[in-house]
């Protein structure tokens, strides 16, 4: 196990959902870098609580993705 988790990036799909947001919060608190998927970055009601999490400025990257649409994922 690494001495520091800051070199590890974890993907959380559905980051703005109830379970996903709690996972993001715990991962950030644990020192991990987090990439979270959301349906729309324009939906401030869903995105802003994630951006307000402690350490989010430094270690959270949010990306827009529709997991049901294959063309939304870059190849």
């Amino acid at each position: 196990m690494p001495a520091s988790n800051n070199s590890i990036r974890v993907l959380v799909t559905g980051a703005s959902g109830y379970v996903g947001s709690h996972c993001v919060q715990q991962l950030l608190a644990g020192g991990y870098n987090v990439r979270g998927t959301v349906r729309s970055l324009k939906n401030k009601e869903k995105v802003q609580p994630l951006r307000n999490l402690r350490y989010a400025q430094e270690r959270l990257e949010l990306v827009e993705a529709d997991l049901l649409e294959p063309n939304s994922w870059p190849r």
Side-chain angles (χ1 to χ4, degrees):
M1 182 150 173
S4 174
N5 294 328
N6 66 359
S7 64
I8 300 171
R9 179 179 295 154
V10 179
L11 172 66
V12 177
T13 58
S16 63
Y18 182 78
V19 174
S21 63
H22 286 279
C23 290
V24 170
Q25 180 182 32
Q26 292 299 306
L27 288 163
L28 291 173
Y32 293 92
N33 292 305
V34 179
R35 177 176 290 160
T37 65
V38 294
R39 288 185 187 177
S40 173
L41 291 170
K42 296 175 186 171
N43 186 342
K44 300 296 182 197
E45 184 179 319
K46 292 283 193 172
V47 172
Q48 198 57 46
L50 292 169
R51 296 200 188 277
N52 291 340
L53 291 173
R54 189 171 186 190
Y55 307 116
Q57 292 284 40
E58 299 89 4
R59 297 197 307 265
L60 177 63
E61 175 190 5
L62 295 176
V63 294
E64 198 170 288
D66 182 347
L67 301 181
L68 299 177
E69 177 58 48
N71 294 330
S72 73
W73 292 93
R75 296 190 186 253

